[in-house]
Amino acid sequence: MKFLHLLSSEASQSITFHCLGDQSYKTKDKFSSSASMQREDSKPRFIGWNKHTSNTLLEPHLIQDECKIQDGSWHQSHFFFLTQDSRQLPITDIQEFSSSLLNHRQHLETGPVCFL
């Protein structure tokens, strides 16, 4: 990996969250309302190869954000990373992506890293 980092002037990677939310959480139930608010307000934190987080130098471009839609269908949120510090990629960890909703299923798809 160090060799790729040394030879590259930039790098890119895409990450997709696939999520299935249950529309029953749109009810006026006190628990459901707070859970929905928590889900919409939380943002995932991405940690890169050099241990920097997306709150510092590694910031993704949000291409599509549909995971907050709670209609009982599968949706996607697409994140794209493009950096001129190739040591920031690949993404090695993702934190604080809310999975606190009951009956909320999700899976993660990581794309390949392109070193240029």
Side-chain angles (χ1 to χ4, degrees), residues 44-60 81-83 85 88 91:
R45 254 183 4 151
F46 299 94
I47 299 176
W49 182 262
N50 62 356
K51 306 299 183 217
H52 286 152
T53 66
S54 57
N55 293 343
T56 56
L57 300 175
L58 185 62
E59 193 63 38
F81 296 87
L82 179 62
T83 179
D85 182 0
Q88 293 179 327
I91 299 298

Side-chain angles (χ1 to χ4, degrees), residues 4 9 30 35 41 94 96 105:
L4 282 172
S9 60
K30 186 176 180 179
D41 292 342
I94 301 171
E96 296 180 12
R105 295 187 293 169

Side-chain angles (χ1 to χ4, degrees), residues 11-66:
S12 64
Q13 183 177 19
S14 65
I15 293 185
T16 304
F17 289 107
H18 300 270
C19 27
L20 174 66
D22 187 351
Q23 73 183 77
S24 65
Y25 290 104
K26 287 187 172 184
T27 64
K28 298 291 183 187
D29 183 342
K30 186 176 180 179
F31 174 76
S32 298
S33 296
S34 63
S36 294
M37 284 297 282
Q38 180 182 358
R39 172 74 180 107
E40 289 178 13
D41 292 342
S42 68
K43 292 181 181 179
R45 254 183 4 151
F46 299 94
I47 299 176
W49 182 262
N50 62 356
K51 306 299 183 217
H52 286 152
T53 66
S54 57
N55 293 343
T56 56
L57 300 175
L58 185 62
E59 193 63 38
H61 300 282
L62 184 59
I63 306 297
Q64 180 180 16
D65 187 13
E66 295 180 347

Side-chain angles (χ1 to χ4, degrees), residues 71-82:
D71 63 358
S73 299
W74 281 96
H75 294 282
Q76 299 177 354
S77 289
H78 295 278
F79 297 89
F80 183 73
F81 296 87
L82 179 62

